[in-house]
Amino acid sequence: MNSQMQCNAKELAALARRPSSYFDKEGNLKICRLFVDDKCIEPRERWCRLKGNLLFLMKNKTKSLEASEVVILERCCIVEFRNKADVSVVLKFQSGEPDLYLEAATRSDCESWAVALGEANSEGLRNKIQQLQRLIMEIKEERTADEVQQYLPSAQADSLAEPKLTSLKRTVSEPKLEFSLACKDLVAPTRDRKLNTFVQIIVVHPGEQTSARYSSTEIVEGTRDPLFLTGVTFRPDYPIYEETKIKLTVYDVKDKSQDTVRTSILAEHKEPRTDIGRSFLGCATFKVGDLVKSKEEQLSLSLRSSDGGKTVGTIDVSLVKMGEMEEGEADHITTDVQGQKCALVYECASPENTRSKDNLPLLNAVLKNPICKLYRFPTSDNKWMCVREQMSESTLSFHIPKELINLHIKEDMRRNQDLKELGELAPHWDNMRKSVVAHCDQMLTLYQDMLAELGKYTGSSFKSSCSKGEKTLEFVPVNLHLQRMYVHSPRLKDILYDVITVGAPAAHFQGFKNGGLQKLLNKFEAERRNTGYQCIYYSPENTAKAKEVLSNINHLQPLISSHADLLLNSARQHLPDCLKNSLKMLSETTELFVHAFKDQLIRSALLALYTARPGCVLKKPTVPRNNVEEGGDQPNQEHPVQIKRQDSIPHHSEYDEEEWDRVWANVGKSLNCIIAMVDRLLEKDNTSSVEKENDSDPSTTEHTASCTSGDWCEQLYPLIVTLKDCIGEVVTRAKQSMSFVLLQELACSLPQCLMLTLRRDIVFSQALAGLVCGFIIKLHSSLHDQGFLQQLHTVGLIVQYEGLLSTYSEEVGMLEDMAVGISDLQKVMFKITETKSDILLPVITGRRGHYVIEIKLPEKMFELLPQEIKEGKLLNVCPVLFNVGINEQQTLAERFGDTSLQENVNQENFELLKEYYKLFTEKMPPDCLPHFQEQNDLKGLLENLHQNIQAKKRKNVEIMWLAATICRKLNGIRFTCCKSAKDRTSMSVTLEQCSILRDEHQLHKDFFIRALDCMRREGCRIENVMKNIRCRKYAFNMIQLMAFPKYYRPPEGTYGKADT
């Protein structure tokens, strides 16, 4: 007991014996003192009774109730152990007395004692009183409208009951309202207290009189005149009106790490305790209409204490207009904060304003649920730059997977049907086919079930990190978002910086026990080579060629038939010009058809298929060879037996290896006959027209015309039938032979082959959804850049992926999946078309390995494109991946494991980037690059990147910085990926944004770290964490962060243990 306090022992003894109803809390606790020299007495059980700030430690729970000690709970703090297994707390005394250890029987009992002891002292009582006073003030504000309405005439009361709300006048794509905040002359609770303040923004909705916590500023430390870098922005669809009230509450934070209300996750049944980590300073309320109508576009409000009487400072609310530009010098408001003076410039021009109305439908089609944040940062020349950060989900997260799965189902159904139509096979091959078809049908059912499940999905438009292992969402990318930063800075052009953030494309549900795609594909290929006599080995290139031939068959045969019918129709109507055009289209398509089948693989596969028929006879023994160049290349020296026309692939007879050449050549001969016939018909037509001019009898002229018209169609018809028959025969032979090749691939390793295809489809689907989103956003933001559009159709776009995966444990498999998935994007092509429909979602056509993405644009946007793109030219992309692991697992990999995968990925993709740059410099003029870039800059950056890759330095994050810079200078699309695009991705994206502000927009060097902390603590990325795991904390712990590079560590109080 404190010696300076005078206490009456008899009164305390009498107080201790009062009945249980008199005390705030009582119960059994084990208690002992903790001394500085670690001397500790064994805890003894005591009956404890709490009244006010007095804790009575009773000897036992008896009628005598004699107290052994009385503890006064002043100038002490309660340390509660957060481990779920702990059931103890410690009372620490500022006077230097030994700490008091208290142990409860259960965890819940321990928590209730901790709360009771924390609220027992005078400070806890003051916090309770302040909380009640604030509650009374809010109730008074809510009652004001009701009280006024009670004494008004009925007509006026009705108008109050249903108020007419005044909308804010802004463009449809602009935020409804944006403002910044600064406080002056704040009064601290105690003289020696240095304030660490932040402002909480609460929106009071008119009419309903309901309030909602909207956002907060960052914490500004050590000043009574805080100027907040984080502003407030209301997205375009937010329901805010001139009548809306906004309440600003200023808090003093005692310790950032203890600011639990703003950063921690709370149990569902508990309310946040406002007395921990922060204390109330003052609040002010204003109407939105007062701010927007103010001539100065600024309000200076008095901050009132909790009882509403005492003024504790002022808060300045300044309107921000990033959509307008005024001529002349902007008003200067100078402030001296932490030694720097800055001029306040708020108004700036948006690069989207002039065309946002036309482009908005496209953005609305692919983006959803935007989250906006506003900042103002000082520049090196003492001015302000305005920065708007935006994060949006994409509807393509689910649209692209559904489109792809639908195409997979159609492709697999065709393949299964082709296998069934192979005809009669020898028993060994027939059993193999039955087994393959059975497995393929099972896999087809799996795809159909997945498509059905995705069709039923009605949740959010993105897949959270917690759902990455869900089977029904395997094809959906993890946490796909657009991260956009719009910057207006003095004397520089306004500019947008976009990054697509998405979880690494990987098959999380299938797992990584046996590695990722890269390892599994190599293993599968090795097993196929060693299959022995069971099946014929065809290389991956030949298998891909077989799929291409089948695709060409399905595409070209209907086209030839259609053009042939048009030719007959033109002949029937006796239209010479139409006849010429139809013949030209037929000739071009047939030539493509003939060229598509001029491949040695088909000859080899036909021979292999013949040997697989039952009872096949070879006059000269021939073994199907796995080398295409060898198979079927030797002509048969003997004269073969004549093969009947109806046998598509000869069997039960001698095989003529030259038969395919004759059948294939017949297509060209048939086409030549048609061309010759059309030439003769047109020549006769010209001759007859001359005779008509000399003949004056009209009846003779009509008779001649009708006879000629009939002759044209009759003479062309048999030739067209012959051409179709020849093409049909070629198609039947080629389709069966190529299906036989695919049968070998599938039969070599069932069901592993199909599971590997499924895994690759899953990874590709996730990668493609992100790519299509990035392409559309890039196209939208660069439609007025003629250099970009020329680059797009001349050399294509560079797409740079930044990977943050480690090369240790499961993330090795993720990186292998990601590397293959991104590499597969090289074969994706884009096509831009015009549409008058309101449906602007992209359409996918093609097959595995050859997809075309059709991007639909409204008429006004389509008019801006170059003629080459309007005519349907296919546009390609060049995806590159650079990966650098940064977490504690990468530390283990670098010291005890293997980093060769990362090194190989970086080296291979550097070569791809160098090839793209070479093509770019050869075909593109220098002026197509952004105005502040030069070719020499790019060359130096590429050399620097190559040196860093070769250096093999640990956690060399400069590789990522250089690759990202090169991508931006080449007008590319930027991606940042980690396991779930939540924590490491957030650190990287915010660092990239602040680095751009520093390097390109002269961010004041003293504010770099503060700007970084602002974006990480209050920006879009912490909102992304909240969306994913319902907790406003990055999933790092202190030990992990010790292994992170310096600038990839989040600010204190924003990280902790969380389920991801």
Side-chain angles (χ1 to χ4, degrees):
M1 190 178 299
N2 196 322
S3 60
Q4 295 179 355
M5 294 185 65
Q6 295 181 359
C7 298
N8 189 318
K10 289 182 179 181
E11 289 180 1
L12 288 176
L15 192 62
R17 289 193 291 269
R18 296 289 292 271
S20 297
S21 58
Y22 174 77
F23 291 93
D24 301 326
K25 186 173 180 62
E26 61 179 1
N28 276 320
L29 291 174
K30 288 184 179 179
I31 295 175
C32 71
R33 290 283 183 175
L34 302 175
F35 297 93
V36 179
D37 56 357
D38 295 333
K39 204 173 174 186
C40 179
I41 303 170
E42 186 69 23
R44 292 185 179 182
E45 190 169 308
R46 290 281 185 261
W47 181 255
C48 300
R49 314 186 88 185
L50 178 66
K51 177 60 179 176
N53 62 352
L54 297 177
L55 178 63
F56 295 90
L57 309 181
M58 318 303 291
K59 290 181 180 179
N60 50 44
K61 186 182 178 184
T62 61
K63 291 183 179 180
S64 60
L65 290 173
E66 185 179 349
S68 63
E69 186 178 355
V70 180
V71 181
I72 301 174
L73 302 174
E74 292 296 339
R75 298 184 66 198
C76 65
C77 63
I78 291 87
V79 178
E80 182 182 354
F81 298 98
R82 297 297 180 183
N83 192 324
K84 290 182 179 180
D86 287 326
V87 291
S88 59
V89 294
V90 173
L91 283 174
K92 288 184 172 289
F93 296 91
Q94 296 178 15
S95 61
E97 291 182 49
D99 298 342
L100 186 65
Y101 173 86
L102 301 97
E103 182 179 324
T106 64
R107 178 62 185 167
S108 60
D109 198 18
C110 176
E111 288 180 350
S112 66
W113 271 107
V115 172
L117 293 171
E119 295 175 348
N121 57 19
S122 56
E123 185 180 352
L125 186 60
R126 279 197 299 270
N127 288 331
K128 271 188 176 181
I129 294 169
Q130 289 180 358
Q131 193 173 359
L132 287 170
Q133 288 173 335
R134 288 198 300 273
L135 187 60
I136 291 168
M137 284 181 64
E138 289 175 3
I139 292 171
K140 284 181 178 179
E141 288 178 2
E142 290 176 5
R143 284 184 176 177
T144 302
D146 297 335
E147 291 171 359
V148 171
Q149 183 178 356
Q150 185 177 354
Y151 297 103
L152 284 175
S154 58
Q156 294 182 23
D158 291 340
S159 65
L160 274 181
E162 295 181 5
K164 293 181 180 179
L165 304 179
T166 309
S167 299
L168 301 178
K169 295 179 181 179
R170 300 299 287 269
T171 60
V172 285
S173 62
E174 286 258 307
K176 284 276 187 71
L177 175 70
E178 293 179 312
F179 58 84
S180 60
L181 300 168
C183 293
K184 293 179 182 177
D185 305 322
L186 294 179
V187 178
T190 58
R191 284 187 179 180
D192 57 346
R193 169 77 182 150
K194 286 190 175 181
L195 293 175
N196 302 323
T197 52
F198 76 93
V199 181
Q200 187 177 87
I201 294 89
I202 295 175
V203 178
V204 182
H205 296 287
E208 302 173 9
Q209 289 299 315
T210 57
S211 61
R213 186 183 300 174
Y214 185 76
S215 66
S216 301
T217 66
E218 82 282 10
I219 299 171
V220 179
E221 299 181 14
T223 177
R224 299 191 181 195
D225 301 316
L227 190 149
F228 300 100
L229 302 184
T230 307
V232 183
T233 180
F234 293 88
R235 63 180 186 271
D237 60 341
Y238 193 86
I240 188 168
Y241 308 93
E242 289 187 8
E243 293 78 12
T244 302
K245 288 184 180 179
I246 294 178
K247 182 179 178 181
L248 308 172
T249 308
V250 182
Y251 289 97
D252 174 28
V253 178
K254 299 173 185 176
D255 183 1
K256 284 185 181 181
S257 62
Q258 294 296 321
D259 187 18
T260 56
V261 176
R262 303 172 72 241
T263 61
S264 67
I265 185 167
L266 296 163
E268 292 183 4
H269 63 281
K270 291 188 177 181
E271 291 294 323
R273 288 175 57 194
T274 56
D275 61 313
I276 295 181
R278 66 178 184 175
S279 60
F280 174 86
L281 286 181
C283 64
T285 305
F286 70 93
K287 276 189 177 182
V288 170
D290 294 340
L291 176 62
V292 297
K293 293 177 181 177
S294 169
K295 290 182 179 180
E296 298 80 12
E297 297 183 342
Q298 181 175 342
L299 298 176
S300 186
L301 308 171
S302 297
L303 289 167
R304 300 287 180 181
S305 59
S306 55
D307 58 3
K310 184 181 177 184
T311 301
V312 294
T314 59
I315 183 166
D316 292 334
V317 185
S318 302
L319 191 65
V320 176
K321 290 185 178 179
M322 293 187 75
E324 297 178 7
M325 181 62 122
E326 292 185 358
E327 297 296 330
E329 288 293 321
D331 293 336
H332 285 64
I333 303 174
T334 59
T335 182
D336 192 357
V337 179
Q338 297 180 359
Q340 89 286 348
K341 290 186 177 180
C342 303
L344 193 59
V345 180
Y346 287 134
E347 293 165 356
C348 46
S350 169
E352 296 182 81
N353 276 357
T354 56
R355 49 200 183 255
S356 60
K357 193 172 181 180
D358 295 333
N359 297 1
L360 196 59
L362 179 64
L363 277 186
N364 287 341
V366 297
L367 296 181
K368 199 174 181 182
N369 299 331
I371 294 175
C372 298
K373 299 290 180 176
L374 178 70
Y375 311 97
R376 52 174 179 172
F377 297 131
T379 60
S380 55
D381 58 352
N382 290 336
K383 290 187 179 295
W384 287 100
M385 72 172 83
C386 293
V387 178
R388 183 187 297 150
E389 188 185 25
Q390 179 180 322
M391 181 183 70
S392 302
E393 301 167 12
S394 176
T395 57
L396 301 180
S397 290
F398 286 84
H399 174 74
I400 296 297
K402 286 191 280 190
E403 286 268 308
L404 266 183
I405 295 173
N406 195 32
L407 285 177
H408 293 330
I409 290 171
K410 292 178 180 177
E411 182 181 348
D412 291 350
M413 288 177 71
R414 283 196 302 266
R415 179 198 61 195
N416 294 358
Q417 188 62 31
D418 290 342
L419 289 174
K420 293 172 184 176
E421 293 175 355
L422 265 176
E424 192 178 1
L425 296 174
H428 167 72
W429 299 106
D430 193 47
N431 291 335
M432 180 186 291
R433 172 174 60 178
K434 289 177 181 176
S435 176
V436 167
V437 169
H439 280 90
C440 287
D441 285 341
Q442 290 178 6
M443 193 59 64
L444 183 61
T445 302
L446 189 148
Y447 279 91
Q448 290 170 337
D449 291 345
M450 284 191 173
L451 183 60
E453 288 297 323
L454 283 180
K456 296 176 187 175
Y457 184 83
T458 55
S460 60
S461 55
F462 82 107
K463 180 171 110 178
S464 71
S465 63
C466 298
S467 304
K468 60 177 170 280
E470 286 189 23
K471 180 175 177 58
T472 55
L473 300 179
E474 278 189 288
F475 281 79
V476 180
V478 178
N479 197 17
L480 173 62
H481 283 82
L482 164 68
Q483 178 81 18
R484 167 168 285 184
M485 181 175 70
Y486 162 47
V487 185
H488 168 79
S489 52
R491 296 187 298 278
L492 286 178
K493 183 182 177 182
D494 298 346
I495 192 166
L496 293 173
Y497 297 94
D498 290 338
V499 179
I500 305 297
T501 62
V502 62
H508 292 279
F509 176 78
Q510 295 190 22
F512 310 96
K513 184 178 180 180
N514 299 314
L517 270 174
Q518 200 171 86
K519 182 178 179 180
L520 293 171
L521 286 169
N522 292 335
K523 182 181 177 182
F524 172 72
E525 190 58 31
E527 288 176 354
R528 282 189 62 210
R529 289 177 181 275
N530 300 320
T531 51
Y533 67 90
Q534 293 182 355
C535 55
I536 304 169
Y537 172 76
Y538 289 95
S539 68
E541 293 77 18
N542 287 334
T543 304
K545 183 66 180 176
K547 293 175 181 176
E548 184 180 349
V549 169
L550 289 171
S551 177
N552 287 333
I553 288 172
N554 295 325
H555 174 65
L556 294 175
Q557 187 183 16
L559 277 180
I560 292 174
S561 179
S562 174
H563 292 327
D565 292 341
L566 285 174
L567 184 70
L568 281 177
N569 191 44
S570 300
R572 192 175 292 110
Q573 297 180 23
H574 194 70
L575 301 171
D577 291 336
C578 290
L579 192 69
K580 290 179 184 177
N581 292 332
S582 300
L583 179 64
K584 182 182 178 183
M585 290 188 292
L586 178 64
S587 301
E588 291 174 353
T589 310
T590 308
E591 285 173 9
L592 287 174
F593 179 86
V594 172
H595 180 74
F597 297 105
K598 189 179 181 181
D599 197 287
Q600 191 65 31
L601 174 64
I602 300 176
R603 292 164 58 93
S604 172
L606 281 170
L607 176 58
L609 178 59
Y610 173 66
T611 62
R613 299 292 188 193
C616 74
V617 177
L618 290 175
K619 190 158 186 178
K620 183 175 181 181
T622 309
V623 178
R625 283 161 285 200
N626 57 11
N627 192 320
V628 175
E629 285 72 18
E630 297 175 4
D633 199 25
Q634 298 177 359
N636 202 333
Q637 302 299 324
E638 307 267 343
H639 291 289
V641 177
Q642 184 66 35
I643 299 173
K644 295 181 180 180
R645 179 67 173 257
Q646 63 267 23
D647 293 335
S648 59
I649 298 293
H651 56 278
H652 296 295
S653 58
E654 297 176 1
Y655 176 63
D656 182 4
E657 295 186 18
E658 294 180 352
E659 177 69 14
W660 166 250
D661 292 334
R662 288 194 291 272
V663 171
W664 172 64
N666 284 342
V667 175
K669 292 176 182 177
S670 299
L671 177 65
N672 290 334
C673 290
I674 293 172
I675 293 172
M677 178 58 70
V678 170
D679 288 342
R680 283 200 298 272
L681 292 175
L682 291 175
E683 187 178 349
K684 286 182 181 180
D685 183 65
N686 291 334
T687 305
S688 62
S689 63
V690 173
E691 292 175 355
K692 286 177 194 176
E693 291 175 3
N694 300 328
D695 194 345
S696 58
D697 187 355
S699 60
T700 308
T701 304
E702 290 177 6
H703 175 72
T704 306
S706 61
C707 293
T708 308
S709 176
D711 290 345
W712 279 21
C713 188
E714 290 173 4
Q715 294 182 58
L716 279 175
Y717 181 76
L719 298 178
I720 294 293
V721 170
T722 303
L723 175 65
K724 287 183 176 180
D725 287 345
C726 292
I727 285 174
E729 191 167 357
V730 169
V731 164
T732 303
R733 291 169 181 261
K735 184 179 284 190
Q736 290 190 340
S737 64
M738 294 300 95
S739 297
F740 188 73
V741 172
L742 297 186
L743 176 64
Q744 310 308 309
E745 180 196 35
L746 294 167
C748 283
S749 183
L750 277 176
Q752 292 88 340
C753 176
L754 294 174
M755 293 305 296
L756 199 55
T757 301
L758 172 63
R759 187 183 190 106
R760 197 165 189 170
D761 288 345
I762 289 168
V763 173
F764 179 76
S765 172
Q766 296 178 23
L768 183 64
L771 174 65
V772 176
C773 176
F775 185 91
I776 291 176
I777 297 302
K778 185 66 181 178
L779 179 66
H780 169 268
S781 61
S782 306
L783 265 176
H784 289 70
D785 185 346
Q786 293 303 314
F788 166 81
L789 295 174
Q790 183 183 354
Q791 175 187 353
L792 181 60
H793 70 78
T794 306
V795 295
L797 287 186
I798 192 77
V799 183
Q800 186 255 325
Y801 290 82
E802 175 184 303
L804 299 162
L805 297 172
S806 68
T807 52
Y808 187 82
S809 187
E810 284 192 342
E811 291 196 6
V812 176
M814 293 179 204
L815 182 55
E816 289 180 342
D817 276 0
M818 184 180 181
V820 173
I822 290 172
S823 176
D824 286 346
L825 294 176
Q826 293 177 16
K827 296 180 180 179
V828 173
M829 308 292 282
F830 288 86
K831 181 181 180 181
I832 303 176
T833 59
E834 182 182 2
T835 181
K836 295 180 180 178
S837 169
D838 293 335
I839 301 174
L840 297 175
L841 288 172
V843 176
I844 308 177
T845 56
R847 58 179 177 83
R848 288 182 180 92
H850 294 276
Y851 287 109
V852 176
I853 317 298
E854 181 186 344
I855 307 298
K856 299 178 180 180
L857 292 185
E859 183 180 357
K860 289 184 179 179
M861 296 178 71
F862 190 77
E863 289 174 357
L864 301 172
L865 299 175
Q867 193 61 34
E868 293 87 347
I869 298 178
K870 287 181 180 178
E871 291 173 356
K873 183 175 181 180
L874 294 180
L875 314 170
N876 66 297
V877 293
C878 176
V880 292
L881 165 64
F882 294 95
N883 187 86
V884 177
I886 62 171
N887 64 358
E888 78 287 355
Q889 289 190 323
Q890 186 63 22
T891 303
L892 294 174
E894 289 170 343
R895 294 186 179 179
F896 310 111
D898 181 16
T899 61
S900 58
L901 174 62
Q902 177 175 285
E903 293 165 7
N904 293 337
V905 165
N906 291 344
Q907 184 59 47
E908 289 169 8
N909 284 274
F910 174 77
E911 297 301 325
L912 293 174
L913 180 60
K914 194 166 68 171
E915 286 178 18
Y916 177 86
Y917 174 70
K918 182 181 178 183
L919 186 67
F920 184 93
T921 52
E922 288 174 354
K923 295 191 175 183
M924 293 298 298
D927 59 357
C928 76
L929 288 171
H931 69 282
F932 51 83
Q933 315 297 359
E934 294 180 2
Q935 292 284 357
N936 293 335
D937 293 344
L938 279 168
K939 191 174 181 181
L941 287 168
L942 279 167
E943 291 174 358
N944 198 357
L945 177 60
H946 184 245
Q947 291 171 3
N948 276 276
I949 291 172
Q950 295 295 319
K952 297 181 180 179
K953 179 182 172 184
R954 290 179 178 178
K955 294 184 182 176
N956 190 1
V957 292
E958 194 169 349
I959 290 173
M960 298 189 295
W961 299 346
L962 289 166
T965 304
I966 292 169
C967 174
R968 285 194 299 273
K969 289 179 182 290
L970 285 172
N971 295 320
I973 305 171
R974 279 273 300 114
F975 282 80
T976 299
C977 312
C978 65
K979 184 176 180 178
S980 55
K982 180 172 61 65
D983 303 304
R984 281 171 281 178
T985 294
S986 294
M987 299 302 103
S988 178
V989 165
T990 48
L991 177 59
E992 180 178 355
Q993 289 180 168
C994 288
S995 299
I996 290 172
L997 294 177
R998 178 193 61 196
D999 299 337
E1000 304 292 349
H1001 299 275
Q1002 290 79 50
L1003 172 66
H1004 198 289
K1005 62 180 182 179
D1006 294 338
F1007 276 76
F1008 179 80
I1009 297 298
R1010 189 173 160 191
L1012 194 59
D1013 285 354
C1014 262
M1015 289 185 174
R1016 289 173 176 173
R1017 186 182 292 275
E1018 301 298 340
C1020 290
R1021 297 315 302 182
I1022 198 70
E1023 300 294 339
N1024 182 270
V1025 174
M1026 185 69 182
K1027 286 171 68 173
N1028 277 274
I1029 61 172
R1030 310 308 303 165
C1031 170
R1032 207 174 291 275
K1033 277 193 175 184
Y1034 300 109
F1036 303 128
N1037 59 45
M1038 185 60 74
I1039 296 175
Q1040 287 177 311
L1041 292 178
M1042 288 171 65
F1044 274 49
K1046 179 181 176 182
Y1047 291 114
Y1048 288 83
R1049 299 171 187 171
E1052 188 180 3
T1054 62
Y1055 57 88
K1057 185 178 180 181
D1059 295 330
T1060 62

